[in-house]
Amino acid sequence: MGSMFRSEEVALVQLFLPTSAAYTCVSQLGELGLVEFRDLNASVSAFQRRFVGDVRRCEELEKTFTFLQEEVWRAGLALHPPEGRLLAPPPRDLLRIQEETDRLARELRDVRGNQQSLRAQLHQLQLHSAVLGRGHRLPLAATPTDGLLERTPLLQPPGGPHQDLRVNFVAGAVEPAKAAALERLLWRACRGFLIASFRETEQPLEDPVTGEPATWMTFLISYWGEQIGQKIRKITDCFHCHVFPFVEQEDGRLGTLQQLQQQSQELQEVLGETERFLSQVLGRVQRLLPPWRVQIHKMKAVYLVLNQCSVSATHKCLIAEGWCAASDLPALQQVLQDSSSEAGVSAVVHRIPCRDMPPTLIRTNRFTASFQGIVDAYGVGRYQEVNPAPYTIITFPFLFAVMFGDVGHGLLMFLFALAMVLAENRPAVKTAQNEIWRTFFGGRYLLLLMGLFSVYTGFIYNECFSRATTIFPSGWSVAAMATQSGWSDAFLAEHPLLTLDPAVSGVFLGPYPFGIDPVWSLAVNHLSFLNSFKMKMSVILGVTHMTFGVVLGVFNHVHFGQWHRLLLETLPELTFLLGLFGYLVFLVVYKWLFIAAAAPAPSILIHFINMFLFSRSPTNPLLFPGQEVVQSALVVVALAAVPVLLLGTPLFLRWQHRRRSPRPAGRQLDEDKSGILDSSDASVAGWGSDEEKAGCPGDQEEAEFVLSEVLMHQAIHTIEFCLGCISNTASYLRLWALSLAHAQLSEVLWAMVMREGLRMGRELGVAAVVLVPIFAAFAVLTVAILLVMEGLSAFLHALRLHWVEFQNKFYLGSGYKLSPFTFAEEED
Amino acid sequence: MLEGAEFYFNVDHGYLEGLVRGCKASLLTQQDYINLVQCETLEDVKIHLQTTDYGNFLANQTNPLTVSKIDTEMRKKLCREFEYFRNHSLEPLSTFFTYMTCSYMIDNVILLMNGALQKKSVKEILVKCHPLGRFTEMEAVNIAETPSDLFNAVLVETALAPFFQDCMSENTLDELNIELLRNKLYKSYLEAFYKFCKNHGDVTAEIMCPILEFEADRRAFIITLNSFGTELSKDDRETLYPTCGKLYPEGLRLLAQAEDFEQMRRVADHYGVYKPLFEAVGDGSGGKTLEDVFYEREVQMNVLAFNRQFHYGVFYAYTKLKEQEMRNIVWIAECISQRHRTKINSYIPIV
């Protein structure tokens, strides 16, 4: 948990990897995920790097893998992810894997090719028989054509020269989509010197390539003349038709048909054999491919990292640079030693000083991960900046619960989250792919706390599904009021509303021990009482939250050694915030504690407005003696803090700059020396400096000091803070609004659904029957509207309060995450 | 068409325009060209192209890689994009797309007829056909013996049919006639396209008309240049010039009389647009060829087309730019594979 407070120390390290052991070292580092490598060859293009050949070979292999995978998928088989941990294979294994893969791919291609050609043959045969089969039914189907053909020779003898004129046939099959175009083209090109008949095949045939069933159009063209025949053949060629010899005699056709059927039977047997062999090969692929894929993927990743290393002058080792957490350095050293022990020369790691801002590393566990996630979604913290996440663990669920206060709803949410937490180790829950479910599951601990806190605030508000509970006896006694005031029957009949007077002895026995007195749920001024309470509560919570934010800034200033900001920024900020809004909180609390219920109540609002106007209203009694003097003093002090905030830091920096500038060379030397001697100190001091904030990161000393830039920046900050104090305080009123909305909505749901149902049946049987659907409706609406919808909106507002109102007081969030080189996520 | 395309353009064509602008942004940059030129082998070219928007388009090619494989795959990629645009387009943009494909169709038809004349097999030539100009009846082109045959039997149903009206003749199709046919077809195609854009009005006309005018004039110049020393008569030559360019009518008349490059240059001198182009042409060995100069000018116009919104010209411009890019890559790849590095830098930069 110590590391949650601010990000861990991250060091720039240089790794000297002996050439022979570099591969094993990097692959070991990939398994552990310790180092984020920096690209030392950014100026070198991808194909001029050292290991480009190996990367290319891996890619080559992956190409083959893709081919194998597609084949497996095409056969309708699935590839299962490999079990267990697979290390990146040693480089010499690449050859073996490559060979085996190539052999498998070749076999598969051969078998697939055989299968394809067999299928194509079969398809051809089937089409042929479809064409012929259709043809021999032609005499029945198309008698007129047939009749004409038979009659032609009878008519011809008179015209002797035409004796040799005979009808020729072209028969074939074409894809149905092209049939119409083919028919038209035939007609146009041959000017009608032909008769063509088209018909669809009865059974769909399997397409040899895709394997999908498709119907074909068979056609039979009869024509006269050789030239036309040539044209027809060219046209059928261009439409990719299958053309088959067509025997004119019917018995000849029958014979061919039988022959075809026999052939196709034989072919089918061969095809079956081929497919069996194919499935064997595919089975082998299925078994071998997944582990190979993972291995080669890792190998490629390792080579890509090696490509980022530079080569030492002697070519004996590779030099890599990267970010590594300081606490991981011993582990890193150990890994490097272990994995380079074979090579004889040990790999070495050492820290080097650097001026760049290191990446942010905050280790989380499954509990803190979701809270850190909330903070990171706003912005990853700068290196070693105070991390708001640990406080968010409590404040976030609490602010949520303030808006969601209801014992019943909170309990439901808590139980739901508890179920997820208890089931978190079940594989089915873990691997669920549903995105909405994963969102909920990821935030299960957040939900757990949110539910728990809602139960707490529900008790404070005394609401359980909008009903009040009487755990303790109420502090108000109606009986006492009735006996003391002597209400007559007539008085009671005339006045539907009666007032309980706390001044009457015995009516108000003292405050309710915990939360809101249940008697309020019966009162008609319930809402105005709660409004006043919740509004004040929101302001108190808001001012406290923001003050806490400002105080957290102190830790940043102290850590980065910017003591002047402590005095010139944090102090005026606190003065401004507490002098104005802290005083408001004081007034609220004072009024609660010391103004008796019976006395005329002073209005805090009027007092607060008068405070700024330096005036007083005679009708509004003072809360305490000397209030006006205190108020005036506070306003003056708070306003005096503004110029300090505005000008303090820029003027201080200018003074500091002036003091330094006469001897820049000497300082430069100092700086360098200290950088080498104690890199961590020098680097830490660097990142918080204001010059960087003013827009010149990196070379902080050399950067010329531009007063206007710093002034501008500080002016923006000042305006943002002062206006922010007002608007952010107002913004916290959303706590009041949302909790009110939630209470009212659940009240309405109870009154309109449940109460109606309970009122409906007086007899036991009717009530039981009616209440089933009524309760179902109540339950569904409660979950859908009150839990999910209201929960989401309360979540959203709590998120906003944290991101905008809280974090802008101290959190910059301009860093970037440490993303170490690791195989973990590449595996899936 | 109503004025003010911006009010309704996006309803029908907004998606595609967004898409094509995205595609244009993925054209290779100057830095990419610099890297490509440094490549040692075609494999390097492939690796470099992988880092660009071409992605893994060569991943499934078997070794060894050749220039023609790269070219084919690039064409396929362009064709896929174009088909996507076309399938998602509405009228009148789809007609515009049809017009765009027509030029490729003309080229393919002519290519096939030439092939038939030289008794080459259809399959062999089909590979060379541009995929954008493919159509079903294409392969039946070789059954025709005269242009009217060609029209009546094969092309009457295609988008090319309207352009045939001027070139119906009973001449047999020999090499010269085919070339004449191509130019006549192209002339009427350009004129029809020009008319379509003109009638469409709006920004489309403002962008497309200058581009097509330039295209027409370029053809006129090229026809003139190619006809020097052939048996083509001057009158015949004049009938081939597309009449929708800036040169029409006086320039074309002068051009028809030109007898050598010098005279052609003198014609161009009368036109402010073409004078600098002819001045940029180097003489003999050193400088750029006329073709290159024209290409550069075309690229320039097409790039400028992207400065206006709500018009169809971007689709035309994108296709042309992509084609130029493909020509560049092929040029570089050829230079690399033939180890002829001295001329590798004379690609046409797209800026």
Side-chain angles (χ1 to χ4, degrees):
Chain A
M1 280 300 283
S3 62
M4 278 294 277
F5 183 65
R6 60 174 85 251
S7 63
E8 271 181 53
E9 193 185 334
V10 172
L12 186 65
V13 292
Q14 208 167 26
L15 291 85
F16 290 90
L17 309 167
T19 322
S20 52
Y23 180 87
T24 33
C25 287
V26 173
S27 82
Q28 271 305 313
L29 289 177
E31 295 293 340
L32 294 173
L34 292 176
V35 185
E36 175 184 346
F37 287 96
R38 300 215 297 185
D39 192 355
L40 298 178
N41 304 325
S43 57
V44 184
S45 64
F47 50 83
Q48 287 169 338
R49 299 195 175 192
R50 190 177 158 90
F51 293 96
V52 67
D54 301 273
V55 173
R56 204 179 291 172
R57 263 160 66 190
C58 290
E59 270 169 4
E60 211 53 37
L61 257 179
E62 279 179 343
K63 209 163 77 184
T64 325
F65 287 161
T66 317
F67 163 74
L68 290 175
Q69 183 186 19
E70 269 166 14
E71 287 297 323
V72 171
W73 281 346
R74 205 157 72 165
L77 302 171
L79 288 170
H80 304 287
E83 285 159 18
R85 223 179 140 99
L86 293 159
L87 301 177
R92 58 178 178 278
D93 273 17
L94 181 64
L95 263 183
R96 182 182 57 83
I97 295 180
Q98 195 170 17
E99 251 171 43
E100 286 185 39
T101 320
D102 282 350
R103 210 177 54 230
L104 265 183
R106 209 166 42 236
E107 262 176 47
L108 200 58
R109 260 193 206 110
D110 283 354
V111 182
R112 183 58 90 180
N114 278 343
Q115 190 205 20
Q116 292 279 348
S117 65
L118 285 176
R119 273 203 193 163
Q121 277 178 32
L122 188 65
H123 185 244
Q124 200 78 335
L125 287 178
Q126 279 168 341
L127 272 185
H128 194 173
S129 56
V131 169
L132 290 187
R134 195 204 78 128
H136 80 227
R137 253 179 287 105
L138 188 68
L140 299 174
T143 335
T145 330
D146 211 38
L148 187 75
L149 289 181
E150 274 172 13
R151 217 176 303 130
T152 319
L154 291 181
L155 291 177
Q156 257 160 19
H162 297 289
Q163 194 72 38
D164 57 336
L165 188 71
R166 39 175 282 133
V167 184
N168 292 308
F169 293 97
V170 173
V174 66
E175 283 168 39
K178 290 183 184 166
L182 172 66
E183 198 172 355
R184 277 203 301 278
L185 186 58
L186 280 173
W187 176 257
R188 283 199 309 265
C190 307
R191 300 197 182 84
F193 284 112
L194 52 78
I195 297 170
S197 78
F198 284 79
R199 186 180 300 170
E200 222 167 320
T201 52
E202 276 139 24
Q203 290 143 345
L205 303 174
E206 247 185 35
D207 191 283
V209 183
T210 59
E212 278 170 24
T215 54
W216 282 67
M217 290 293 267
T218 55
F219 59 84
L220 181 63
I221 305 164
S222 33
Y223 62 92
W224 293 266
E226 207 34 52
Q227 271 200 333
I228 301 268
Q230 269 173 10
K231 262 190 187 172
I232 289 175
R233 252 169 238 120
K234 269 186 188 168
I235 290 170
T236 50
D237 269 359
C238 99
F239 277 86
H240 302 287
C241 304
H242 296 278
V243 179
F244 304 106
F246 190 81
V247 187
E248 277 171 62
Q249 285 76 27
E250 199 173 322
D251 41 349
R253 284 209 298 271
L254 274 178
T256 328
L257 208 55
Q258 272 172 356
Q259 220 176 341
L260 282 175
Q261 261 152 8
Q262 204 182 341
Q263 275 177 2
S264 71
Q265 258 174 9
E266 283 166 15
L267 254 181
Q268 253 156 352
E269 271 171 37
V270 180
L271 193 61
E273 204 59 41
T274 317
E275 269 164 6
R276 260 194 296 285
F277 185 58
L278 181 68
S279 69
Q280 271 176 18
V281 178
L282 283 177
R284 242 179 327 150
V285 172
Q286 221 180 346
R287 204 176 58 247
L288 290 171
L289 185 58
W292 281 350
R293 274 182 86 95
V294 173
Q295 285 183 316
I296 295 303
H297 207 92
K298 283 187 175 182
M299 187 178 240
K300 187 177 157 195
V302 169
Y303 279 125
L304 285 178
V305 167
L306 287 178
N307 264 341
Q308 297 184 344
C309 303
S310 62
V311 186
S312 74
T314 54
H315 285 274
K316 289 228 173 91
C317 62
L318 290 171
I319 302 169
E321 246 180 56
W323 298 107
C324 177
S327 57
D328 284 337
L329 279 177
L332 176 62
Q333 187 76 56
Q334 189 60 40
V335 168
L336 288 183
Q337 246 164 28
D338 290 351
S339 46
S340 62
S341 56
E342 285 175 27
V345 196
S346 172
V348 187
V349 57
H350 71 93
R351 280 175 83 145
I352 48 175
C354 100
R355 292 251 166 127
D356 295 345
M357 189 170 79
T360 306
L361 168 69
I362 296 170
R363 290 181 215 260
T364 57
N365 52 29
R366 59 186 169 191
F367 177 71
T368 52
S370 55
F371 297 98
Q372 189 65 51
I374 286 177
V375 173
D376 286 349
Y378 173 76
V380 176
R382 273 187 327 142
Y383 179 62
Q384 300 233 307
E385 189 178 22
V386 166
N387 180 18
Y391 321 106
T392 306
I393 294 176
I394 295 304
T395 54
F396 189 89
F398 179 69
L399 288 188
F400 172 84
V402 167
M403 292 180 269
F404 198 72
D406 191 302
V407 176
H409 299 154
L411 200 65
L412 287 179
M413 183 177 278
F414 175 73
L415 292 177
F416 172 60
L418 192 67
M420 282 198 288
V421 169
L422 291 179
E424 68 183 356
N425 285 329
R426 283 195 207 158
V429 179
K430 246 186 209 168
T431 53
Q433 291 297 314
N434 185 327
E435 202 176 335
I436 294 176
W437 166 255
R438 292 182 73 88
T439 312
F440 279 120
F441 187 70
R444 58 195 179 282
Y445 287 100
L446 184 65
L447 280 176
L448 190 78
L449 285 189
M450 281 172 8
L452 207 59
F453 278 74
S454 300
V455 173
Y456 167 74
T457 49
F459 275 120
I460 296 278
Y461 296 160
N462 207 342
E463 277 181 10
C464 176
F465 295 113
S466 83
R467 303 286 83 199
T469 50
T470 330
I471 303 169
F472 304 102
S474 169
W476 294 79
S477 167
V478 183
M481 184 72 196
T483 49
Q484 296 274 328
S485 63
W487 287 330
S488 64
D489 287 347
F491 181 81
L492 287 175
E494 265 176 44
H495 297 83
L497 297 175
L498 301 165
T499 314
L500 296 181
D501 187 358
V504 178
S505 68
V507 172
F508 182 61
L509 303 171
Y512 193 67
F514 183 77
I516 304 283
D517 195 321
V519 80
W520 283 106
S521 64
L522 304 172
V524 284
N525 57 348
H526 178 213
L527 202 59
S528 46
F529 169 71
L530 274 187
N531 276 352
S532 152
F533 164 71
K534 286 182 176 170
M535 181 169 65
K536 286 166 180 168
M537 178 194 68
S538 310
V539 172
I540 294 174
L541 289 178
V543 173
T544 316
H545 201 206
M546 288 192 295
T547 313
F548 182 56
V550 175
V551 171
L552 280 180
V554 172
F555 293 100
N556 272 341
H557 303 329
V558 170
H559 182 77
F560 293 126
Q562 300 164 316
W563 301 99
H564 65 276
R565 294 184 69 186
L566 211 57
L567 200 71
L568 297 174
E569 282 181 29
T570 310
L571 192 65
E573 278 175 3
L574 273 180
T575 316
F576 188 81
L577 181 61
L578 289 179
L580 300 181
F581 297 94
Y583 177 67
L584 181 62
V585 172
F586 166 76
L587 285 185
V588 169
V589 177
Y590 187 87
K591 185 178 167 185
W592 275 344
L593 292 179
F594 295 108
I595 304 295
S603 163
I604 295 179
L605 181 67
I606 302 293
H607 273 305
F608 197 59
I609 292 172
N610 282 339
M611 173 174 165
F612 288 100
L613 301 176
F614 293 103
S615 70
R616 65 166 300 181
S617 58
T619 51
N620 204 17
L622 291 176
L623 282 116
F624 55 92
Q627 188 187 351
E628 281 177 2
V629 181
V630 173
Q631 282 183 182
S632 308
L634 281 177
V635 173
V636 169
V637 170
L639 292 183
V642 176
V644 177
L645 182 59
L646 178 66
L647 301 172
T649 307
L651 292 182
F652 174 78
L653 287 177
R654 196 163 84 116
W655 171 75
Q656 203 176 32
H657 181 74
R658 286 246 174 104
R659 206 183 49 164
R660 280 177 189 170
S661 48
R663 42 191 177 97
R667 255 212 62 81
Q668 188 58 42
L669 206 65
D670 275 4
E671 170 80 4
D672 282 358
K673 210 183 278 174
S674 72
I676 293 163
L677 291 177
D678 189 357
S679 61
S680 67
D681 246 30
S683 46
V684 165
W687 302 304
S689 71
D690 277 281
E691 286 89 338
E692 186 191 293
K693 261 172 83 183
C696 352
D699 41 355
Q700 59 266 48
E701 275 320 313
E702 288 78 357
E704 56 196 293
F705 176 78
V706 186
L707 184 67
S708 62
E709 287 256 320
V710 181
L711 256 180
M712 181 95 78
H713 196 267
Q714 191 65 21
I716 292 171
H717 176 72
T718 307
I719 292 169
E720 196 183 302
F721 181 81
C722 294
L723 293 184
C725 273
I726 301 164
S727 67
N728 292 355
T729 310
S731 181
Y732 275 97
L733 291 179
R734 70 185 69 234
L735 293 174
W736 162 40
L738 269 274
S739 92
L740 193 73
H742 186 78
Q744 288 300 301
L745 212 56
S746 51
E747 172 78 42
V748 164
L749 189 64
W750 179 271
M752 305 290 264
V753 180
M754 216 44 197
R755 187 185 290 159
E756 292 299 315
L758 288 170
R759 195 179 282 163
M760 223 175 265
R762 295 285 176 195
E763 293 101 65
L764 194 63
V766 179
V769 173
V770 167
L771 275 183
V772 171
I774 292 283
F775 181 74
F778 176 72
V780 168
L781 287 177
T782 297
V783 171
I785 295 181
L786 293 177
L787 282 177
V788 177
M789 213 182 80
E790 278 282 289
L792 279 177
S793 96
F795 186 94
L796 200 73
H797 284 280
L799 203 60
R800 184 222 141 95
L801 285 180
H802 276 85
W803 282 353
V804 180
E805 273 75 30
F806 177 54
Q807 292 183 3
N808 80 354
K809 298 288 181 291
F810 66 100
Y811 187 64
L812 275 180
S814 57
Y816 62 104
K817 262 190 176 166
L818 177 79
S819 53
F821 168 66
T822 170
F823 291 141
E825 66 228 54
E826 285 164 9
E827 278 172 30
D828 49 35
Chain B
M1 270 291 163
L2 291 166
E3 285 299 315
E6 51 271 26
F7 291 123
Y8 52 83
F9 185 87
N10 279 348
V11 176
D12 289 343
H13 318 301
Y15 168 61
L16 288 182
E17 194 187 351
L19 213 59
V20 81
R21 280 175 190 275
C23 288
K24 190 250 174 185
S26 72
L27 290 175
L28 297 188
T29 60
Q30 199 57 40
Q31 186 58 42
D32 287 325
Y33 281 115
I34 291 171
N35 285 339
L36 278 179
V37 167
Q38 290 171 357
C39 290
E40 297 287 335
T41 64
L42 288 185
E43 279 296 317
D44 289 346
V45 173
K46 174 181 153 188
I47 287 183
H48 185 77
L49 287 180
Q50 270 175 7
T51 63
T52 67
D53 220 55
Y54 280 102
N56 276 337
F57 78 119
L58 288 172
N60 291 325
Q61 288 300 312
T62 49
N63 286 330
L65 200 60
T66 60
V67 178
S68 71
K69 274 180 189 166
I70 297 179
D71 191 29
T72 320
E73 285 301 313
M74 284 194 301
R75 278 184 178 187
K76 272 189 196 157
K77 187 165 182 290
L78 173 64
C79 199
R80 272 200 300 278
E81 284 169 0
F82 188 84
E83 282 301 315
Y84 187 86
F85 291 144
R86 201 173 173 180
N87 292 340
H88 286 78
S89 63
L90 294 170
E91 285 297 342
L93 181 57
S94 24
T95 313
F96 185 84
F97 278 132
T98 312
Y99 271 112
M100 275 170 67
T101 53
C102 281
S103 66
Y104 303 101
M105 284 163 72
I106 293 174
D107 284 345
N108 284 351
V109 167
I110 301 299
L111 194 65
L112 279 165
M113 290 200 306
N114 268 329
L117 208 63
Q118 292 159 16
K119 302 271 185 277
K120 282 183 187 163
S121 83
V122 179
K123 281 211 178 72
E124 196 180 327
I125 299 163
L126 269 184
V127 185
K128 291 182 195 161
C129 287
H130 200 289
L132 277 184
R134 258 177 210 286
F135 55 100
T136 330
E137 294 92 342
M138 198 165 83
E139 296 163 45
V141 161
N142 57 1
I143 62 171
E145 271 145 22
T146 65
S148 51
D149 236 13
L150 188 68
F151 173 72
N152 286 329
V154 186
L155 299 176
V156 71
E157 275 184 24
T158 64
L160 293 183
F163 313 135
F164 259 89
Q165 280 161 359
D166 296 338
C167 25
M168 300 279 269
S169 66
E170 293 297 328
N171 296 337
T172 50
L173 288 169
D174 57 15
E175 209 156 318
L176 182 66
N177 279 333
I178 290 176
E179 202 50 41
L180 288 180
L181 180 66
R182 179 216 293 273
N183 285 315
K184 279 181 183 163
L185 276 178
Y186 217 93
K187 166 188 153 87
S188 46
Y189 155 69
L190 268 183
E191 283 162 6
F193 197 7
Y194 186 80
K195 211 166 114 195
F196 170 80
C197 293
K198 196 96 192 163
N199 287 343
H200 185 275
D202 258 343
V203 194
T204 303
E206 284 168 41
I207 296 294
M208 279 309 290
C209 288
I211 292 181
L212 291 175
E213 279 165 11
F214 172 73
E215 181 70 26
D217 292 342
R218 171 164 78 170
R219 283 202 76 81
F221 281 122
I222 298 288
I223 290 170
T224 315
L225 195 63
N226 288 343
S227 66
F228 294 148
T230 58
E231 53 198 279
L232 192 69
S233 73
K234 285 176 178 168
D235 288 341
D236 279 349
R237 194 201 293 174
E238 197 174 355
T239 59
L240 299 181
Y241 294 150
T243 56
C244 56
K246 283 204 170 62
L247 294 179
Y248 180 77
E250 292 85 5
L252 292 183
R253 209 175 303 134
L254 290 173
L255 216 50
Q257 303 307 318
E259 274 161 7
D260 55 22
F261 188 76
E262 261 321 301
Q263 290 181 10
M264 202 165 100
R265 184 194 290 256
R266 235 169 283 142
V267 177
D269 279 351
H270 297 303
Y271 294 86
V273 194
Y274 301 115
K275 193 174 177 208
L277 296 187
F278 275 83
E279 278 165 3
V281 175
D283 43 352
S285 55
K288 298 167 181 170
T289 62
L290 184 61
E291 214 175 352
D292 283 352
V293 173
F294 277 137
Y295 275 141
E296 268 172 27
R297 168 83 185 146
E298 191 191 4
V299 164
Q300 203 183 350
M301 291 180 92
N302 286 329
V303 169
L304 287 180
F306 280 88
N307 287 356
R308 299 284 298 270
Q309 217 186 332
F310 308 120
H311 63 99
Y312 304 151
V314 280
F315 299 99
Y316 184 86
Y318 172 68
T319 316
K320 291 290 170 193
L321 286 178
K322 196 80 184 171
E323 282 211 305
Q324 186 56 51
E325 179 181 297
M326 281 156 41
R327 274 195 294 269
N328 288 345
I329 294 176
V330 168
W331 172 261
I332 291 173
E334 281 289 359
C335 287
I336 289 171
S337 69
Q338 294 175 13
R339 314 220 163 275
H340 196 75
R341 302 193 72 89
T342 45
K343 284 196 163 182
I344 198 165
N345 277 317
S346 50
Y347 56 87
I348 315 285
I350 297 174
V351 281

